[in-house]
Amino acid sequence: MILVLNGPNLNLLGRRQPQIYGQQTLEELEEQIEAWAAELGAAVTLRQSNYEGQLIEWIQQAEAEGFSGIVLNPGALTHYSYALADAIAAQSLPLVEVHLSNIHAREEFRRRSVTAVAAVGQISGLGPLGYKFALAYLMEKAR
Ligand code: DQA
């Protein structure tokens, strides 16, 4: 079972800077992720929060909840949340950081991820497919 977490402002997908993040709403993205998970034979739980503390609690509890891996798009928390980085480092599940946009090809402040240091890896700029590749990786890893 894989936990897919989306952070701040990702609830606005479809309406928010569609030239950068695409036309797809969060609901549509989640449906797409569920379809990919079914293809990969993965069970997924999808959650979104605009609150750092909520994301931290979900990450802290993931192992006890029986998840085998985490896919996380931390939104802008990526660039400054040491609390989120600490929560990722404090647990032992493999976590893949995903960004819809290429954070290295945008504003300077987006180039740095303080959370990726605690992740097994990062996928950035591949749009929704990033979530699929992260799931595929975590499924392989869990075998
Ligand atoms: C994002 C990139 C972040 O810089 C931004 O703050 C987001 C979305 C992405 O998916 O491309 O909210 O994580």
Side-chain angles (χ1 to χ4, degrees):
M1 202 164 50
I2 295 168
L3 178 61
V4 180
L5 297 179
N6 281 299
N9 297 307
L10 290 158
N11 58 313
L12 299 178
L13 283 178
R15 282 176 284 154
R16 173 195 187 200
Q17 297 177 285
Q19 70 285 5
I20 294 173
Y21 298 115
Q23 308 279 348
Q24 207 174 34
T25 64
L26 178 63
E27 205 185 347
E28 289 162 351
L29 172 67
E30 290 188 335
E31 277 169 16
Q32 172 119 73
I33 293 170
E34 270 170 351
W36 282 327
E39 262 174 43
L40 291 162
V44 283
T45 295
L46 299 139
R47 296 177 188 162
Q48 188 274 334
S49 179
N50 290 324
Y51 299 94
E52 182 181 30
Q54 176 64 82
L55 294 164
I56 289 171
E57 285 184 0
W58 284 335
I59 290 167
Q60 285 182 0
Q61 291 157 8
E63 210 163 354
E65 281 192 74
F67 293 105
S68 58
I70 304 173
V71 179
L72 171 67
N73 183 343
L77 293 169
T78 305
H79 314 299
Y80 66 91
S81 178
Y82 296 107
L84 198 54
D86 279 354
I88 298 167
Q91 54 90 53
S92 53
L93 298 178
L95 180 146
V96 180
E97 180 172 308
V98 171
H99 299 284
L100 291 160
S101 65
N102 179 355
I103 59 171
H104 304 286
R106 300 182 59 197
E107 301 97 318
E108 183 72 42
F109 78 89
R110 293 188 203 276
R111 293 189 190 156
R112 180 157 176 250
S113 169
V114 302
T115 46
V117 287
V120 289
Q122 183 197 65
I123 301 170
S124 175
L126 306 187
L129 272 172
Y131 292 86
K132 182 186 188 185
F133 299 146
L135 283 180
Y137 171 82
L138 291 171
M139 285 302 286
E140 280 288 324
K141 210 43 201 177
R143 271 203 209 163

